[in-house]
Structures are given as C-alpha cells and as structure tokens.
Amino acid sequence: MTSQKKKVLLAPLDPVHDIGLKMIKRGLDLAGHDTILLPPDYSPEEIIKAAIDNNVDVILISRTLGYRVAEILGSFIDLAEASGLRERVKIGIGGMAIKPELAAELGFDAGFGPGTTVEEAIAFVEGREYIEEDRGARKTKKDITEKYDYTFKNKRIEKLLNTIADEIIEYVKGKTTPGIERAKIREKMFESDDEAELRQLRKEYAAFCDDIVKAYYANGALKEKTRQLTSEELQALKSYLEKVKAKMKPLILQHIDTNPVVFIQYGTGCPFMDIAHIKTCEAWGADGVVHFDPSWGARTEGFYEGFITHEEDGSVITYENLKLIKDALMPSTLWQVRAHRGLNTPETVLLAGKVGADLTKINIAYGSLGGGTDPERLTVDAVAAIKYAARFKMPFDVVTNEELCGVPAHKAFAGMLIVTMLGLKLGARPILQPLFCYSPEVMISGQMKDNYIDFNAAKIFALKSILNAPIWCGAPIGFLTQTEDRVQSSLSTALHASLASSLEVDGISIASADEAYSGGPISAAARVDTLRATQSAFRFFGHAKIIPTENSEIWASQIVEGIERTLESVVKNGSFVDALYKGLLGSREEGAYPGRAGRGTVKNI
Amino acid sequence: MRIIGVAGTAKNTGKTTTISALLRCVSQSSKTKVGLTSIGYDGEEIDNITGLVKPRLFLNKGNVVATAITLINAGSAELKIVEETNIFTPLGKVIIAEVKKDGLVVVAGPNKSGELKRVVDTMIEKAGCHMVLVDGALNRIAPMAVTEGLIIATGAARNPDVAELVQETRHICDILDLAEAEESYKKIASDIKTIAVINKGGKIDTYRYSALIHDDIVAELRKIITDDARAVYIPAAVSQPALEKLLKILGARLSGFTILLHDPIKLLVSASPERIVRTINKIEALKGRIEVLKKVPVLAVTINPFYPRYMFDKNIYEPAYVDEKLLKEEMQKALSLPVVNILKDGADILMKILGF
Amino acid sequence: MSKALEKVMDAVDIETFLVCDSEEEAKKISIQMMNELGFSDASIVFIQHLGPGARVRVRGYIYKPGDRYNWFYNKKNNS
C-alpha cells in the first residue's frame, strides 16, 4: 500500500445493503484499509455516532435515490457538520442517481454514480486525486500476424502450394497491365514536386485510364453523383475532429487476452459520415476499420484525385480521401484499405501504404471468380500489389467471399491458400480470412441444419491443421443469419463473435444491426448495438468455450481433403490462371463466374 | 456586515431570485465589489424543453466568484482565476475568480463551515470583496454558521398552508434568535472542544463526545452531572430527542441550569423547528435556560407565493400561488423582521438592511 | 427541423408494438405514425406480425450520407 492506512465507515442509508458498497469494502480491504460496514437502516444519528466512536477518517454512504431523499441526505450532511465531523472526516455518497453535481448540491465531498470504479472510491479514501485511466492511451495497435511463423503442418498441401505459387510468379514475369503502369506513374508522382513534371505524369497516367477518369485529368470533370468537397467543408471537418478527439475515451471490447480484435466496415460514400461513424465505432470499442470503396471504382481503370464525396455506397479512393480518414483515426485503430477485387489493385495498395494503412486485402480467386475482374488481369495485378504490401510491411487478408456466390469452402480455401503462399514467397504477411457465416453452400448441403457452430468451427479447425497463420473471420461474421430486427441481429453477431473467440481466431469483422436492412444507409445507432452486444458476449464467455459436436472434426477433415483435391487439380492443370477460367477453384455451376473487367489488358513487355 | 447567507427552506422558495436581486442592486453601485459563492451547486437548472443546462446567476465585470474549477467555462461570464485553493468539491478544486466580462455563472463552492470561512476570508482579504453572498443549498444550513447575517427564503413551495408556513418560519427565527450566553460562560466555553459540565465554583468536567445526538451519549453524560452542575456546554450538534432525554435526567435540577450551545444552527439541524421550539419552551417552563455563544442573526425573510401544485388526475405539476397579501400580512404579523416579496417589492429593503 | 433532431447523427428509429390485424395494416400504421411525428423520409426496417399485432422498427432518416449535417457544421449546436 502506497498511502497511509485509513479507517473507513461504510453505511447504507437505505433499508437494504447496496452491492456497490460491498464491492468498495472489498476493494478497500484488499488495499489494506480498515473498514466497518454498518447494517442497513441505521439513523443518521447512529451513523454519525459510529463514526465518532470508531474515530474513522472517511464515511461512505450509499443511498438509492427515492422520495425526499435529497432532503434526507442534505440533513445527514448538516448533522455531520454540526457534529463537528466534517473538519476531519471525508464523506462520500454513492448510488444509482448520484452525479457530481448532485453530490455538490448535497454537500458531500465526492459523489459516486453508476459506472464508478472501486479504484475511484479507493483514490477518494486515500486522498489521491483520481486520475481516470486514459483508455485511449491504454489501447495499443495490435499486429495480428505477430505470433505466427507460417510453418505448414500439412506438408502435402505445402508442396502443392509451392508448385502453384512458383508457376504464378513465373507466369507474370514480363507481363504488365494498365493497373501496374498507373501504380508506377503514381509512385513517380509521389516523388516529384516539380509542377511541369507532375503535369506530364498526370497526362501519362490519364492515358491508362477509362474515359470517365480521363475526363477528370483533362478538365476536372467528375462522374455523376460525385463532387469535390469544399474548403468550408474541410474546415468544418477539422473543427469537428478536434472536438471529438478531445473527448474520446474508448471502451475496450475484449474481456480476456484471447478475444479477437474487432473490425467494422465503413463506406457511406461521404468521407464525413464515414469519419463520424468511425469515431462512433472507436468510442464503442472497435479495434479496426475497413474501407469499402464503391463497386464502380473496382471496375474503372484509374483513380481521381482530391477530396471527393459520393452519393452512393462505397467511399471513393483517392490519396486525399484516404488521408482524411487516416488523420481522423485514433493511433491505436487498425485500418484496412481493400484492394482485393478490382482494376486498381496495385495502386490501391500503393496509396494505402503511402498514407499509412495497417492492412490491405488481396485475393485473386475471389476477385476474379466473384469480384468481376478478369482472372489473368487480376493475377498479374495481384503479384504487383502483394509486392507493394511487402514493401510497406502491410499484412493483407485473403478473403474467401466467393463462398457467398456458392463456391464450397474447400475450393475457396484452396484459392485462399494459393494467394497466401504467393504472399509468403513475395515476402508479405498474409492473413487467412474464411467466411464465418451461413453460406449458400451449407444452405444447400445442410451442414448448418442443426447449428451454426459445427461448420464454422470445422473451417477454422481445417485451416489450423494446415498451417500456423493468423485467422480473421469475415466478413461480416454471422452474415445471412441476421434479420432486420436489431436485437436478433446484434445477438447473432455476438454469438458468432463468441464462437470465433472460442476458436481462438485473431480478428473478426462485425456487421451493424442494420446488416440485413437494405432500404437505406446504416445508422450510427445500429453500429453501437452490435459493438455493445459483442462486448457483452466476450464478458459472458470469458475463458469458457463453446463445444462443437463431433461433426466439426468430420467436416474439418473433409475440407482438408477437398483442399488437397482442388490443389492437385490445379497442379495437374499446369496453369493457375487457366484453372480459374476452367472453374477448378469454383465453377459456374457453383456460382463462380470468371470476371470480364480488364480482359485482354495484360501486355507482354 | 460582510458575509451574507441566503438559505432556502425548500426548492422554489425564491433563493435564487433573492440572490439575483441582490446582485443586481449591488451592481448598480459601482463602488461595491461583491463576491458570490455557494455551499451547494447553483446557478444552473435544466431547461426542460431543450434538456440543456442553463445558468441562472448573473455577475457584472469586476465582481468575484468562488466556484469549482470545472465550472469556470460553464456560464457565459468570462472569468480570470485570482486564487486556486486546495479545497475540493465533487466538481473539482475551488478557485476564486474575477469576472472579466459580464455574464452568467455556475457556482459550486466550499460546502463545509471551515472551508467556507477560509474561502470567504480570501475573497474579502485578497480579492477585495466588500461583501460576500453565500448561496444555500436545498435545506442545508449548517455551513451558514460562519455567515454574519442570514436571509431566509421561504414560501408556498415549502408548505402551501399559509398558517403552517408562517408558524414554521417563526419557529426557525425563534431558534436562530436564542439568547446569547453571558460573558463568563462565553469565556469558559471558548476553549472547550467537547461536551463539558460546568460546576459550581468553576470546576469543569469534560466528556469524550462533542455532539449530543444519541441516547447512549446522554446516558453516559448522566454520570458526570452531579448536584454541583450549573451548566452543560455542547459545542457540536444537539438532537432534539437527545435534548429531551437530557431534560429527563436533569429533572428538577433544570431550574437555574443553563444548556449552552455553540450556535443555534447546531440545534436547528436536528429535527423539525416545531419540535425544537416545543423542547425550548419546556426548558423555559421548567426555569432552565438554553443559550448560545454565537448568534446567527436573521436579517430578513423573503417570501414567495408560488408553488408547483401536483395534479393527481393529470399526474403533472402546474404552477399555483397562495394569496400573496395574506401570506405577507400573516408573516409580518408573526415576525419582528422585514418580510419581503422580492418579485413584488424588489430588493431595496434588503439593500438598506445590508447598509447600502 | 427542430433543434434536437439536428443532433441526430443520421436516423431516428421508432420501435414499438402496434395492435393491428395484418402486416399490411402494420406497414400502413407505421408510415402514418412516422408522418404524424413529422418524419417525411420514413422507411420500415423491421416488421413482424403475429397474433395480436406487429413488432415494428421504423426509421426516419434525418441525414443521409452527402447531406449537409447540422451537427457537423454548426459549432454552437456541437458544443
């Protein structure tokens, strides 16, 4: 104990004992102070006499506010004062409706309302100024890849992946795309501060763009429903952020060390609304945020420049927009800029790296089978993008969203593992991102007929049996189990979060309670709902586990076998790109269609 | 008279109105530098329509306020800290600040006598205040013992029955007007910190308690009250039931016996004024005396006919008023003090009493 | 728009239970209720009718992304 031992009288000025008072007593006992807990229903005179008789240093009164209670507490303080106690005894009041203003009005030395920590009461007893723990400072940015060495436990799969990844690296040699060329020019633009040179570079850049982007570089024209933000708007953002940042005291969602980090996704189209939602999510404990770009952005060659707002879903990627978001984040917030599916993959990773993103997202199989981009184009682009990710030391996740098209998990996982191996060979740190939801595959084949646990667990068991790599459950967890009812939706998210935590994964992406609602933008309130639900679920389970049935082990082996079979077929086929076209990693019957955006744009140098 | 307390008997009795009126009047005289503090938390109320907090007390440039540091920007007045005290309230450290630009202030100052005294002294000596107004809080009155004069704000919000209200106010004033003890007793008692029995011949027996608030304390006191006892001095609180018990113990010895209190507030905090007065009357009837070392003079009583009336059928409060004329007349009849309805009469009478 | 509603970040959800005979009726009442409350841009987020009535979550957007948010611009309202 650092301070002097104090004698504390704890008295409920109530007919019943207050649990808060008992908790404070325990905290004071542990801190080495002497405590006396009076029985309930003592009169003010009796409490004061007890304080005098025991020569206490501090009195802590608890009282649940009720009829005329303010007068009762005021009289108590008056009597204590007239009895000569107050010059040497400090008196604090605790209770549900107690606020510092009320404590001041009633004349107490301190007031402890709902949310008071035991530490706060101890600080009062010890006469220390209570310094509220700066939770923002306590929160640190977590590198979820840190503890993984990527060793393969399944050597057979490792061998197959080696073959395929080597083939991809060989395949892309001597090839380039407009996406890669733009990234190279953008890099030069970052390095130059010569206006004439920049003008020239912009011209070169525009030559590799689609017409709607060319128009911007020619005469500043933007596509419909997008516009540049005004300087007045940017100034307003600055003052808004200053105010909000000063007030940030973020909650912590995790209850135990092994609870995963929690990501949310934003992309309202308007950078300001995005920032407002991000700050709200940070305050309610989100550890990371994921930037969603518009779907047209993925299918358009080239990026605009400047601060741009967009009236539809997805927030436009420009260096300036990303910078706005980055500057709004708390230092501890993980930030991911997705690059996984479109024609701007290399440049997206470059911009993300330049602005200082922590994570990116790249997956050739999903991007070309479910994301609409030509398999060859994306393969060539992805290798360049992964190299940027490695250069900026930005881990990237490999998401298996093609599962949502109907591709079975084992095939999607085969694609994910190929890109993972490719990432490792190129010096990057990939993160496995299996879908953790009610996927179309199981709707058809029935693995979730009984419960949502077994098959999701099977996927994690399968991946963990193959290699030692970080797992981030996507995206969002519980997808297609949520309804428009926010209680059900939040509950479902929280249960999936608990399952993911029980399976000891490293990260999860959660939806808002508006996930299933398609009639309008997601509301801030709906974001708070699922964050609170997730926090509550982590608190509920602690180290306790969810136990899947034996089906999970059976299905895990089936998935591993399926992955092996799929990889073998790709190796046998010889070319990875060709395997994508042929449907070996997801067929048309399964809902996977090789994309057409950027077809025929790969050039040999 | 420099330290003036304004104590309300309940919410809505016009305490803030009284203080505001005094501040307004004093501000018209540019020579007077006035200080303001509160033993509670005042100058703010919740605006029910907007749900926003709204400060209520207005201070002019040059005046001084003692409030919690967290509240210095809560009002519209611009404040400059002139002194930081080491006194803490639930809203932070008490600071003394000078008003640099007219505006509203939110006040939460020291809430116990010793600290109030220190702050008020600093306001007078260091900040140069000619007068300090101490705003009361709820029904609390104990710290007002350090003021030099008290204005009591009462009204229909305390009790809409005019007869009962007048009687209660009279009782309060009677208690506060308890006779001062003779000099010899004052001298003896001035050094005594605990309950003491003063015997014939000047022998003094002290006792470990300073407050007489419990039957057990009285029972123990009984052992040191002998036939030689002439007076008992109680420096701290006296509860009315304990006092009754003391009377029982003293019995016939009460005749010619003096019960000495430090100040009348030590008795006022213990029970309803009516019960206290009944006990005082009993002491006097039995030819005993109850006296104080230090009086807290009541300067005036302000009255407010307004009260929030509860409508049972609608489950709401609605504004209501008792007959103002009747209230004032009855109150004036019962008291030998100025009775003022601030909203109607203004604060001129009060200003005159305060010597302005 | 009232001052309080300007402080809404984006939308106001009204959640309640409507006594009615069918989901169709519940939808009508929901929208009518929102209109009566002064929400012009109202939509039904969740509705479930069973037996005695319908559980509803109805939303009135105050601001949609790209609108001019008063809580963002107006310093006075923000403080």
Side-chain angles (χ1 to χ4, degrees), chain B residues 152-167:
Chain B
I152 291 174
T154 194
R158 169 78 182 180
N159 187 345
D161 181 316
V162 171
E164 282 177 20
L165 180 67
V166 166
Q167 195 176 28

Side-chain angles (χ1 to χ4, degrees), chain A residues 79-358:
Chain A
L79 189 64
E81 163 128 27
S83 301
L85 267 188
R86 298 213 62 195
E87 296 301 320
R88 53 183 182 83
V89 180
K90 289 198 295 183
I91 309 181
I93 172 79
M96 283 313 284
I98 300 294
K99 285 188 298 186
E101 288 79 6
L102 184 62
E105 173 71 359
L106 297 174
F108 284 81
D109 291 305
F112 304 107
T116 301
T117 59
V118 172
E119 176 51 35
E120 211 169 317
I122 295 174
F124 170 67
V125 164
E126 293 177 357
R128 288 183 280 119
E129 199 171 344
Y130 175 68
I131 297 157
E132 201 176 338
E133 190 184 9
D134 185 350
R135 292 191 298 249
R138 178 151 72 95
K139 238 183 142 160
T140 51
K141 197 179 268 190
K142 201 169 169 188
D143 175 4
I144 61 175
T145 69
E146 197 178 44
K147 60 177 189 193
Y148 294 96
D149 63 2
Y150 296 93
T151 53
F152 275 81
K153 292 172 211 162
N154 187 321
K155 297 293 170 191
R156 184 164 162 69
I157 287 180
E158 182 180 23
K159 195 165 162 255
L160 291 165
L161 290 172
N162 264 320
T163 310
I164 301 167
D166 287 342
E167 185 272 327
I168 295 171
I169 291 168
E170 199 54 41
Y171 177 87
V172 304
K173 267 186 191 156
K175 291 191 172 70
T176 190
T177 70
I180 293 174
E181 292 308 313
R182 282 196 306 274
K184 284 183 188 159
I185 298 167
R186 183 67 66 187
E187 250 193 295
K188 283 186 198 154
M189 284 155 87
F190 280 125
E191 281 151 23
S192 170
D193 49 13
D194 179 73
E195 265 310 313
E197 190 188 5
L198 281 169
R199 261 198 306 277
Q200 180 55 34
L201 287 169
R202 280 201 182 91
K203 230 180 237 171
E204 287 175 28
Y205 182 92
F208 288 105
C209 295
D210 281 347
D211 288 346
I212 60 157
V213 182
K214 272 196 182 113
Y216 167 76
Y217 287 95
N219 55 29
L222 294 174
K223 82 185 281 281
E224 58 170 3
K225 294 190 175 176
T226 57
R227 66 170 177 88
Q228 298 275 0
L229 294 167
T230 65
S231 60
E232 179 230 16
E233 288 172 322
L234 292 167
Q235 190 51 47
L237 173 68
K238 209 177 144 205
S239 6
Y240 173 79
L241 270 177
E242 262 170 31
K243 205 166 284 172
V244 173
K245 280 182 178 178
K247 286 183 290 192
M248 287 296 280
K249 282 181 192 163
L251 299 176
I252 299 218
L253 297 179
Q254 289 75 15
H255 179 57
I256 58 167
D257 284 348
T258 51
N259 286 142
V261 296
V262 178
F263 290 85
I264 60 99
Q265 306 166 328
Y266 67 85
T268 62
C270 168
F272 299 161
M273 189 58 96
D274 281 346
I275 286 169
H277 276 208
I278 288 171
K279 297 317 282 180
T280 304
C281 291
E282 282 181 335
W284 265 268
D287 305 292
V289 297
V290 179
H291 185 96
F292 261 52
D293 53 323
S295 51
W296 58 262
R299 283 173 203 177
T300 305
E301 299 267 15
F303 282 142
Y304 289 136
E305 288 180 345
F307 303 103
I308 294 172
T309 183
H310 175 224
E311 276 173 40
E312 286 170 347
D313 271 5
S315 294
V316 176
I317 293 180
T318 65
Y319 177 80
E320 290 78 6
N321 272 10
L322 292 180
K323 191 87 176 64
L324 274 189
I325 307 267
K326 168 71 184 172
D327 291 345
L329 299 174
M330 293 196 311
S332 59
T333 299
L334 288 163
W335 182 41
Q336 182 182 51
V337 180
R338 310 184 313 161
H340 61 314
R341 58 177 179 171
L343 296 175
N344 298 299
T345 295
E347 196 183 349
T348 304
V349 179
L350 172 72
L351 291 180
K354 278 281 180 192
V355 176
D358 303 289

Side-chain angles (χ1 to χ4, degrees), chain A residues 49-66:
Chain A
K49 181 170 182 288
I52 298 169
D53 286 344
N54 292 288
N55 198 22
V56 302
D57 304 297
V58 180
I59 304 175
L60 293 175
I61 297 287
S62 75
R63 171 77 201 206
T64 311
L65 283 189

